[in-house]
Amino acid sequence: MFNCFASLFSLSFALGACSSLPVVDNSLLEFQTNKTSTVTYTASLKDFPNPERGFYADSEYYQSSPNTLTTTQLKALILEKASAGYQVSLIHRSYFLPEFINTAKLPGSFINTVRQDLQAARGAGLKLILRFAYRTIALEDCNGLPPTEQPACIARAKAEHDPTKQTILNHLENLRAVLFSNADVIAYVDAGLLGTYGEWAYATDQGVGSLLSGFKDSLAPDPQYGYSDGNVPNANTKEIIAKFLDVLPETRAIAIRTPEQRVMLLADSFDPRVWNPKKTTITNETAFEDSALSRLGAHNDCFLASSDDFGTYYYGNYPGVDVASQIQKEKEYLSANNLFVPMGGETCAVNTDVSSAQYPAYAKAELRKMRFSSLNTDYNQDVLIAMGATLTDAKKNLGYRFVLQSSSVPSKALRNENINIKFTVKNEGYASPYNPRNLEVVFVKAGSAPIRRNVVLNRSVNTDPRFWKPLETKMVNLNVKAPSDAGTYSVYLNLPDPMLPNDARYSLRFANENVWDSSKIALPQASTAFNALSQSIQIR
């Protein structure tokens, strides 16, 4: 009888003779040890829409003549902006509500308008930047009017005071449900609420007052320190912002008007003589937490207007403080925070201290330094024209712009085997994504539904796209499970919105030639469109 414990010399014969031992498939061994394939990609110079970034279209609501957005209207607006050279994925929607200054509760009809606006945005594949404001005019606005028109203007300005703190808190609570249930199409919100146009300026003593207020929450300039005394923050405003953060989903940010205001909200004081912003600066470790520190972004309503952008940055007269130096410190402060939160705004006037020849370079440097994610297409046209070639640069680079450089994919793998896929990506944009973003490897076999493998996000190993920072190149190493069925699969990358994972209009597109594959989109609902790696893998 044959001995199954044969010598190594006769092992091959023994394997064939002993049914209790496994049979080695040499072809399978060869299949497993196949090498990887590497592909490089060509960057695109085109401007195209990408979610939550870019030039935005402006839209305003007035309770005195209410209007509700519709999907049809928004799609027409997208085409209108495209014909003017802007690829729009954002709408800045301002709600002006002077009629509700003394109203304890927002009416259901208004809440329903906000809900319908957000639903319309979803139908059009857009997101909204929201602002709520009570005042549409300031006393200063009346100065340039003809004398016969000034009395009515002054009366209106005095009537449009800031509401009481409790009124604003009540109104925010009224908005909670609609904000939470439609968080998927909210990009972020402006702080709004206070001052004319919700811009946190020209506040009045009749209500809460501005965070820039001095000792008695009034706008009267302090004789020693100028416009405001930062040692006395406005507790009312702090409570309002805390409430706004509470009624918003934890992943959404609030854009604050000035760096001084942001510091005061977080540190309880602002004194440029002892400038120390470390305690209120977001870091890699504290980014994207549910905290005021991590959720307060920035909004500049007068970008490129002057050295201090018309009061956006320091313009006081604290003893011993150099104005130009303090402005630069505040810009550095915002620049560090804006790696993780949205920076938006609009232009309002041409900076007359900068020559027309220097203006494009000046604008480009400021856009990149301040890490802008969004800007208004409509205001101010003189500034947009003065930007020259930088306007073209901004259309492409506002927010993130991910350029795929190379990928490495195994040519063959076994079913359900853990495989390693690598790619290199550079962020050429001014900023990074500020809202959550998934990362998927997608396998597509002809005639079959896509197989989507979601990757666990980890900021320390580059799998979270929010940490692909401006002008940095990242090597991303993914471990995913191969498909469970045999066949040849094309390999894609997908960066979907976790709240809208099946709508490709909200998925991030790489800035490369012949990478974005939208051929599978089923209209009108864009369901499957991915970034093609031009790689295939054979599964056995």
Side-chain angles (χ1 to χ4, degrees):
M1 183 176 180
F2 180 77
N3 181 5
C4 287
F5 297 97
S7 67
L8 292 175
F9 179 77
S10 59
L11 180 59
S12 61
F13 177 78
L15 288 173
C18 300
S19 60
S20 61
L21 296 178
V23 177
V24 177
D25 187 342
N26 290 328
S27 65
L28 200 58
L29 288 174
E30 293 177 2
F31 190 89
Q32 287 179 281
T33 58
N34 200 275
K35 295 182 179 180
T36 60
S37 168
T38 298
V39 173
T40 58
Y41 305 93
T42 302
S44 171
L45 300 178
K46 298 175 183 176
D47 176 29
F48 51 85
N50 242 340
E52 301 176 335
R53 60 150 300 275
F55 278 94
Y56 62 73
D58 199 48
S59 176
E60 297 179 348
Y61 171 96
Y62 293 89
Q63 181 63 22
S64 57
S65 55
N67 66 301
T68 304
L69 299 177
T70 67
T71 295
T72 300
Q73 174 191 353
L74 290 178
K75 287 182 176 180
L77 183 58
I78 293 172
L79 294 176
E80 176 188 330
K81 291 298 180 182
S83 66
Y86 294 98
Q87 301 294 328
V88 168
S89 70
L90 291 168
I91 304 290
H92 189 284
R93 180 68 161 162
S94 297
Y95 298 92
F96 294 110
L97 310 170
E99 292 82 2
F100 301 148
I101 288 172
N102 299 309
T103 302
K105 181 180 179 180
L106 291 175
S109 58
F110 173 71
I111 301 297
N112 194 49
T113 292
V114 177
R115 181 179 294 106
Q116 291 181 44
D117 288 352
L118 291 161
Q119 291 172 346
R122 189 180 297 108
L126 299 169
K127 293 205 177 189
L128 300 187
I129 303 167
L130 300 177
R131 177 184 290 185
F132 301 94
Y134 297 95
R135 299 177 58 204
T136 62
I137 194 168
L139 284 171
E140 288 78 0
D141 296 332
C142 305
N143 294 336
L145 295 177
T148 55
E149 297 179 19
Q150 288 187 6
C153 178
I154 291 170
R156 177 183 162 199
K158 288 183 176 180
E160 290 187 2
H161 58 82
D162 289 330
T164 65
K165 177 187 71 175
Q166 191 57 52
T167 296
I168 296 176
L169 296 178
N170 291 346
H171 290 179
L172 288 172
E173 184 62 38
N174 298 154
L175 290 165
R176 180 191 294 273
V178 71
L179 297 178
F180 263 83
S181 61
N182 293 280
D184 56 338
V185 286
I186 298 173
Y188 62 93
V189 301
D190 289 345
L193 302 172
L194 302 175
T196 308
Y197 312 118
E199 293 181 5
W200 287 37
Y202 308 119
T204 68
D205 291 339
Q206 294 169 283
V208 174
S210 167
L211 192 64
L212 285 173
S213 302
F215 286 104
K216 296 182 179 179
D217 294 342
S218 70
L219 278 180
D222 182 85
Q224 184 177 3
Y225 297 131
Y227 185 62
S228 64
D229 183 83
N231 292 320
V232 186
N234 188 321
N236 290 331
T237 304
K238 291 168 67 70
E239 188 175 349
I240 286 168
I241 292 302
K243 180 68 172 181
F244 209 167
L245 288 168
D246 181 55
V247 303
L248 276 174
E250 64 183 28
T251 59
R252 294 308 186 253
I254 298 177
I256 304 298
R257 178 66 183 89
T258 74
E260 176 185 351
Q261 293 162 353
R262 188 182 192 280
V263 170
M264 290 180 71
L265 284 166
L266 296 169
D268 297 328
S269 67
F270 173 84
D271 190 338
R273 296 165 298 181
V274 288
W275 178 254
N276 182 18
K278 185 175 180 180
K279 146 179 199 185
T280 63
T281 299
I282 309 170
T283 65
N284 279 351
E285 292 69 35
T286 59
F288 307 114
E289 295 178 345
D290 183 13
S291 67
L293 170 67
S294 302
R295 294 175 60 194
L296 296 186
H299 180 93
N300 185 342
D301 271 312
C302 271
F303 180 53
L304 302 177
S306 68
S307 61
D308 61 25
D309 283 351
F310 286 6
T312 298
Y313 303 104
Y314 179 75
Y315 60 103
N317 57 351
Y318 282 78
V321 176
D322 178 73
V323 173
S325 175
Q326 179 61 24
I327 287 173
Q328 289 308 309
K329 288 177 182 178
E330 292 184 15
K331 287 185 176 181
E332 293 290 345
Y333 169 71
L334 280 192
S335 181
N337 284 298
N338 293 345
L339 283 170
F340 310 105
V341 289
M343 174 79 221
E346 64 186 18
T347 57
C348 74
V350 175
N351 186 344
T352 56
D353 293 330
V354 180
S355 71
S356 58
Q358 295 173 323
Y359 217 90
Y362 156 68
K364 186 174 182 178
E366 288 292 299
L367 283 163
R368 189 163 287 285
K369 181 179 182 64
M370 303 318 302
R371 311 188 195 282
F372 268 83
S373 286
S374 63
L375 273 178
N376 195 344
T377 59
D378 298 323
Y379 192 74
N380 175 296
Q381 290 296 318
D382 290 340
V383 181
L384 298 180
I385 293 170
M387 289 170 64
T390 293
L391 182 60
T392 300
D393 187 79
K395 289 175 180 178
K396 294 187 296 183
N397 292 318
L398 280 169
Y400 58 87
R401 185 176 177 89
F402 295 142
V403 178
L404 191 62
Q405 296 184 329
S406 66
S407 71
S408 180
V409 176
S411 299
K412 299 177 182 179
L414 299 177
R415 287 176 290 178
N416 295 318
E417 178 184 5
N418 287 327
I419 59 175
N420 183 245
I421 292 176
K422 300 177 182 179
F423 66 91
T424 303
V425 62
K426 181 179 180 181
N427 184 0
E428 294 187 352
Y430 301 148
S432 305
Y434 47 81
N435 283 335
R437 187 61 50 182
N438 285 350
L439 176 59
E440 299 175 343
V441 176
V442 183
F443 299 95
V444 178
K445 181 172 67 172
S448 300
I451 299 170
R452 297 164 62 171
R453 302 294 198 214
N454 196 45
V455 176
V456 175
L457 299 183
N458 189 321
R459 66 184 70 187
S460 63
V461 294
N462 299 332
T463 54
D464 190 332
R466 294 176 296 182
F467 289 89
W468 301 350
K469 296 177 182 177
L471 300 182
E472 288 187 357
T473 299
K474 299 289 188 182
M475 168 66 79
V476 186
N477 194 337
L478 309 177
N479 290 294
V480 296
K481 184 177 289 188
S484 57
D485 293 330
T488 299
Y489 293 81
S490 297
V491 184
Y492 299 79
L493 291 176
N494 188 30
L495 288 82
D497 187 316
M499 292 186 178
L500 295 156
N502 298 315
D503 192 333
R505 297 173 300 179
Y506 295 98
S507 292
L508 268 58
R509 172 180 173 180
F510 287 131
N512 293 89
E513 297 291 342
N514 305 315
V515 166
W516 183 245
D517 182 0
S518 59
S519 62
K520 304 175 187 64
I521 291 181
L523 296 176
Q525 178 70 2
S527 56
T528 53
F530 311 120
N531 296 283
L533 295 183
S534 298
Q535 298 261 37
S536 62
I537 182 170
Q538 186 180 354
I539 305 298
R540 179 179 294 185

